[in-house]
Amino acid sequence: MRDSKTGLIAFVEAVRTQALVVLYKLGSTASVVDRTRDLIHLAHEDGVLTSCSIIGGAAGIIYIAGILEKAPVTLSVIAETAGLHPRSVQRYKTLLATHLKSKWG
């Protein structure tokens, strides 16, 4: 967990920034971008975001957002774009989805 409010705000902003970079590279729709922003906010409120690395949290949330917006992108494509292994994206997605599935709508 991050140790200060300022550090936590910077961490969340870094996740948002990395997510936007990956979303841009993927050519994602506006609805996926908006859903990603919403899910980052929910993950932050839930406290689960701090359990992730910056890029891992961003990649996991992008994967979830794509599914929810019916514009899925494969784990492999997100992983390659984010510079991660597909299993890493899968682990972050599972962690985030487990905590957030009752909150997205």
Side-chain angles (χ1 to χ4, degrees):
M1 194 143 170
R2 307 297 165 212
D3 58 355
S4 73
K5 188 172 182 173
T6 303
L8 182 58
I9 291 168
F11 176 78
V12 173
E13 188 55 38
V15 173
R16 279 190 200 112
T17 300
Q18 285 300 309
L20 290 173
V21 168
V22 173
L23 289 163
Y24 176 77
K25 289 179 181 179
L26 292 171
S28 298
T29 64
S31 65
V32 173
V33 172
D34 290 343
R35 181 67 75 136
T36 299
R37 287 182 175 136
D38 292 344
L39 290 173
I40 289 170
H41 178 75
L42 286 174
H44 167 59
E45 282 186 343
D46 183 73
V48 69
L49 192 61
T50 59
S51 299
C52 302
S53 69
I54 292 169
I55 193 62
I61 287 175
I62 289 167
Y63 184 75
I64 295 167
I67 292 169
L68 292 174
E69 292 302 312
K70 299 185 181 2
V73 178
T74 66
L75 287 170
S76 297
V77 170
I78 292 171
E80 183 178 328
T81 304
L84 296 170
H85 192 279
R87 278 182 269 175
S88 294
V89 177
Q90 176 68 39
R91 280 193 304 271
Y92 286 115
K93 184 276 300 180
T94 300
L95 171 69
L96 292 158
T98 299
H99 285 269
L100 299 177
K101 65 182 167 185
S102 66
K103 297 180 181 185
W104 62 53

